[in-house]
Amino acid sequence: AQSVSQHNHHVILSEAASLELGCNYSYGGTVNLFWYVQYPGQHLQLLLKYFSGDPLVKGIKGFEAEFIKSKFSFNLRKPSVQWSDTAEYFCAVRGGGFKTIFGAGTRLFVKA
Amino acid sequence: DTAVSQTPKYLVTQMGNDKSIKCEQNLGHDTMYWYKQDSKKFLKIMFSYNNKELIINETVPNRFSPKSPDKAHLNLHINSLELGDSAVYFCASSQGGLAGDPYEQYFGPGTRLTVT
């Protein structure tokens, strides 16, 4: 069965600090990978996605993620966070079945 | 021009009542979903319909019944509400939705259900 693990449940950073959120998945076949963001009181929105091709994917608001197949990882990065990046971040994986599996989420708080 | 809309946004009701949440998408997508997000923000799939056909039916109590009158609508009816049903329920839609389709999901604003 597919599963998704997000390493950090809570992250606190100061503005301008660099961000890396870990995501590992378990599925042996071809995968589609996603990062979604949920700002306080809002619905989930897509940050970026990987389907095929270049394993370094760039998304909105300066976020990027790197797919490392050998490590079953899809970590999210941003070189310099802003207060407005305070949100919950979800990694999600879609393997060969119908379902997209979401990780438990990482709550990021950026101090102004 | 909201892409995925849900009504109501907030729902407060007593245990034992029956309630419905409605979802509509105007994206022309083939697949719609219901998710439950608990107080710890964990997001769990409940149901999915592709062209009005049920394709995902997770282990949820049979008090929960989805209905898809057409591919733009997916409603969720809950009978005999319990305290543990309190959560935020998100509707979502996507193109495709069949095995291996590489499409992301578009989420509605959520319905916060509180059972007292």
Side-chain angles (χ1 to χ4, degrees), chain B residues 49-64:
Chain B
Y49 273 76
N50 175 264
N51 283 316
K52 302 198 300 175
E53 182 182 342
L54 185 65
I55 58 171
I56 297 175
N57 187 357
E58 287 295 283
T59 309
V60 301
N62 57 15
R63 298 181 293 104
F64 289 79

Side-chain angles (χ1 to χ4, degrees), chain A residues 32 34 36 38 40-46 49 51 88 90 94-105 107, chain B residues 9 33 35 37 39-43 45 55-56 58 90 97-105 107-110:
Chain A
N32 301 316
F34 309 86
Y36 288 86
Q38 185 177 24
Q42 295 189 27
H43 60 283
L44 277 81
Q45 305 167 45
L46 183 72
K49 59 187 178 185
F51 295 146
E88 190 97 19
F90 293 91
R94 185 189 178 99
F98 297 127
K99 286 189 289 189
T100 299
I101 306 298
F102 285 79
R107 185 167 294 182
Chain B
K9 192 167 182 181
Y33 311 79
Y35 287 87
Q37 186 177 48
S39 58
K40 294 183 179 178
K41 298 290 191 177
F42 187 67
L43 200 65
I45 183 74
I55 58 171
I56 297 175
E58 287 295 283
F90 285 101
L98 299 180
D101 279 343
Y103 301 114
E104 69 269 28
Q105 296 175 29
F107 284 81

Side-chain angles (χ1 to χ4, degrees), chain B residues 16-69:
Chain B
N17 284 349
D18 303 338
K19 290 293 178 186
S20 292
I21 307 171
K22 296 188 176 182
C23 178
E24 177 180 0
Q25 55 96 1
N26 63 6
L27 297 166
H29 288 165
D30 295 324
T31 306
M32 297 184 73
Y33 311 79
W34 277 113
Y35 287 87
K36 180 180 180 180
Q37 186 177 48
D38 62 24
S39 58
K40 294 183 179 178
K41 298 290 191 177
F42 187 67
L43 200 65
K44 191 173 188 314
I45 183 74
M46 300 173 71
F47 303 103
S48 177
Y49 273 76
N50 175 264
N51 283 316
K52 302 198 300 175
E53 182 182 342
L54 185 65
I55 58 171
I56 297 175
N57 187 357
E58 287 295 283
T59 309
V60 301
N62 57 15
R63 298 181 293 104
F64 289 79
S65 53
K67 282 193 171 50
S68 182

Side-chain angles (χ1 to χ4, degrees), chain A residues 61-112:
Chain A
K61 305 188 180 187
F63 286 91
E64 65 177 32
E66 185 175 13
F67 170 48
I68 303 179
K69 190 174 180 180
S70 60
K71 295 185 178 180
F72 298 89
S73 70
F74 190 54
N75 292 353
L76 181 71
R77 300 194 291 248
K78 186 170 182 178
S80 176
V81 295
Q82 300 172 314
W83 177 79
S84 58
D85 293 324
T86 293
E88 190 97 19
Y89 292 82
F90 293 91
C91 179
V93 175
R94 185 189 178 99
F98 297 127
K99 286 189 289 189
T100 299
I101 306 298
F102 285 79
T106 296
R107 185 167 294 182
L108 171 66
F109 180 72
V110 180
K111 297 185 289 186

